Amino acid sequence: SGAGGFPELYLHVDGRNDAALHLYQSLGYDPLPRWDVPEWKEQALGLVPNRYHRKVITLDPDYVPYQDPVEQEMEEEAAVAGRRQLGFAVPSP
């Protein structure tokens, strides 16, 4: 496990702060755009656009980070669509 026994660190950054967004990505934090509040809601409620990030800090080689089931399904659909754009179906790996 990582710091304090936690396998992952999460943080959020003002989405308008390009320097901070770049810094955290350069430090190994993965952006989590699926967690963004919709722009219409930010505008309606006067919210600051936040971008959430995650960094896996565990040394356990068997650790698998949590993946949102909806996000996973979207990635799978995009992969299938990408294979179809070739003009023929490519078998999944």
Side-chain angles (χ1 to χ4, degrees):
S1 287
F6 295 100
E8 302 174 347
L9 293 175
Y10 288 83
L11 58 85
H12 60 88
V13 180
D14 183 329
R16 302 166 297 186
N17 188 338
D18 291 333
L21 292 167
H22 179 73
L23 171 68
Y24 287 117
Q25 285 185 322
S26 73
L27 293 173
Y29 285 83
D30 296 318
L32 302 170
R34 172 98 168 76
W35 293 16
D36 290 356
V37 172
E39 189 175 333
W40 66 266
K41 191 171 185 178
E42 289 173 352
Q43 292 174 354
L45 300 175
L47 302 174
V48 171
N50 282 312
R51 171 59 48 93
Y52 290 86
H53 291 74
R54 169 182 61 201
K55 182 175 183 177
V56 176
I57 57 172
T58 184
L59 299 177
D60 180 356
D62 297 324
Y63 179 75
V64 178
Y66 170 79
Q67 185 170 12
D68 183 319
V70 173
E71 186 175 321
Q72 186 173 6
E73 183 177 323
M74 290 170 57
E75 287 178 6
E76 290 169 1
E77 288 174 2
V80 168
R83 289 193 299 271
R84 287 189 186 136
Q85 287 180 357
L86 296 173
F88 54 92
V90 177
S92 297

